[in-house]
Amino acid sequence: MQTSRRVPTLLLAVGHGSVDLFQGAVPVLVPFLVAERGYGYVAVSGLALAASLLSSVAQPLFGLWTDRRPLPWLAPIGLVLAGLGIALAGLVESYPLTFAAVALSGLGVAAYHPEAARLARAVTGGDPVGMSTFSVGGNIGFALAPVLAAPVLALGGLQAAPLLLILTTIGLFATLPLLGKHSPAPGARKSKPGKDNWPAFRTLSAVIVVRSIGYIGLSTFLGLFVQQRVHASATASAAALFVLYAAGAVGTMLGGRLARRWGRVRVLWISYAAAVPALLGLALVPGPALYLFIAATAIAFSVPFSLHVTLGQDYLPNRIGTASGVTLGLAVSAGGVFAPLLGLLADATSLQLTLACLAILPAAAWLLGRRLPEPELTVVGHNDPARTGSR
């Protein structure tokens, strides 16, 4: 990555981390909502649905909108809404209002990602390592959610949730200076570097959906599962989520570097193959060794994360907003739509069996990934003219 791109890429990663921290705060809220408000498995999985359903529908729509007209202000507005929703979820008392507040946070996440991914492509030129740096900002935000949110909630209860809005301010300070410099001017000519490959993009979208169901389902119930298997405390729950998200950040950074050497598609399907035994070990191994399998699962699930984004943008080079909205939107939200079904399965059987069943999903992603073509990497310069090349 060029030196001139390093600082703006890191600033984008900070903004991405700020918005995804609030996405990661939803699983952190779960033990506190169970303790303070008596919610059951289906109720808390419904909140994952609230955070995800609106986002999964709205994010591709935001992408389509930004393909027609650049809307750089969506990134800071999304940051504000993501934080405000979590703050309100801690203040309201009724379940419907809590559901609505978490949904508002999901809408903010949906508004942020397509325009932020477009901005990241402009800043990094579409380089896999640069895009993985942008993406890892989100992973770090997820990783910091239990580290920052759990102590605040443990000390002040759910009523302390508005204190987390300080983190929104940090994200805004990192994002706002980039908007004028790197955002395309209204009416600027869009380059047409190649033909859109819709069949490959649909297959990639299916890969992202099954990955999202597995990863979001795991993150939703992991805290409760660890309390059952290791230690019945909020600390054990927060530690498990931290390992999940921190190891995910490591996996995301590895993704861009491995892709440079072996190709994005090959790295993608090998990672999903590795996730199958890791997830089975997580569900079945007793005691503290569970944390090692949490880390292995997170790395295997996260190596392909930034690769999804660049593959989607290269499959649809003329619809960058749509590609970004779908790939990032499905990644962070589609799994939440299925979370209530996983909650019903957990209620009817056990969390252990439910998590073991999730291993079917990376196996499906591996099979689908074998069908993906390796596209030519589209590299976009700073000042908007496009050029293509392979790396």
Side-chain angles (χ1 to χ4, degrees):
M1 183 166 46
Q2 297 177 7
T3 303
S4 61
R5 292 173 171 174
R6 189 166 292 131
V7 171
T9 301
L10 291 174
L11 289 174
L12 271 173
V14 170
H16 194 188
S18 298
V19 76
D20 278 7
L21 185 143
F22 291 103
Q23 184 89 2
V26 176
V28 178
L29 287 173
V30 166
F32 296 94
L33 291 169
V34 171
E36 294 187 27
R37 299 180 186 172
Y39 295 163
Y41 291 149
V42 174
V44 296
S45 60
L47 295 178
L49 173 64
S52 303
L53 180 59
L54 185 60
S55 181
S56 64
V57 173
Q59 202 157 156
L61 295 178
F62 281 122
L64 286 167
W65 191 12
T66 60
D67 275 334
R68 294 176 180 273
R69 179 182 180 184
L71 299 169
W73 51 267
L74 276 178
I77 290 294
L79 270 166
V80 172
L81 292 179
L84 183 61
I86 295 300
L88 291 173
L91 295 178
V92 299
E93 293 294 335
S94 70
Y95 183 80
L97 288 177
T98 303
F99 188 96
V102 174
L104 177 66
S105 183
L107 180 64
V109 171
Y112 172 85
H113 279 96
E115 199 61 49
R118 182 195 299 277
L119 186 59
R121 186 175 177 88
V123 167
T124 66
D127 174 64
V129 174
M131 289 299 288
S132 70
T133 302
F134 164 70
S135 298
V136 84
N139 293 110
I140 292 173
F142 272 102
L144 290 178
V147 174
L148 298 178
V152 169
L153 298 176
L155 291 173
L158 292 170
Q159 295 294 313
L163 292 175
L164 299 175
L165 287 172
I166 296 171
L167 303 169
T168 298
T169 304
I170 296 173
L172 288 173
F173 275 117
T175 303
L176 289 174
L178 301 174
L179 297 184
K181 184 176 180 181
H182 296 281
S183 298
R189 183 181 63 84
K190 296 181 180 179
S191 58
K192 300 280 186 180
K195 183 179 180 181
D196 293 334
N197 186 344
W198 283 101
F201 185 77
R202 285 192 289 269
T203 301
L204 176 67
S205 298
V207 169
I208 295 171
V209 167
V210 294
R211 183 260 185 198
S212 180
I213 296 169
Y215 190 78
I216 300 298
L218 175 62
S219 64
T220 299
F221 295 108
L222 182 62
L224 294 173
F225 180 68
V226 168
Q227 288 184 359
Q228 292 179 3
R229 300 278 287 179
V230 180
H231 192 273
S233 70
T235 301
S237 173
L241 289 171
F242 175 76
V243 171
L244 180 74
Y245 298 145
V250 172
T252 301
M253 286 302 295
L254 283 173
R257 285 158 175 78
L258 294 173
R260 271 186 173 177
R261 183 165 185 175
W262 289 302
R264 288 172 287 177
V265 171
R266 181 183 298 176
V267 169
L268 180 150
W269 59 256
I270 290 175
S271 298
Y272 285 126
V276 175
L279 191 48
L280 288 173
L282 185 157
L284 301 175
V285 170
L290 165 65
Y291 288 99
L292 295 176
F293 284 95
I294 293 172
T297 301
I299 290 172
F301 264 114
S302 299
V303 162
F305 184 76
S306 66
L307 309 184
H308 293 157
V309 180
T310 61
L311 282 169
Q313 291 175 340
D314 287 337
Y315 288 146
L316 300 184
N318 303 309
R319 298 177 180 271
I320 298 299
T322 300
S324 302
V326 172
T327 54
L328 286 168
L330 291 176
V332 299
S333 59
V337 176
F338 292 86
L341 296 178
L342 297 175
L344 288 171
L345 178 61
D347 275 335
T349 57
S350 68
L351 278 178
Q352 183 179 33
L353 178 60
T354 300
L355 295 185
C357 288
L358 292 180
I360 298 170
L361 298 167
W366 171 77
L367 287 171
L368 288 166
R370 297 297 299 265
R371 298 171 53 192
L372 290 172
E374 181 71 53
E376 185 178 28
L377 177 63
T378 302
V379 182
V380 183
H382 260 312
N383 297 320
D384 193 39
R387 64 189 186 275
T388 58
S390 299
R391 299 191 178 201

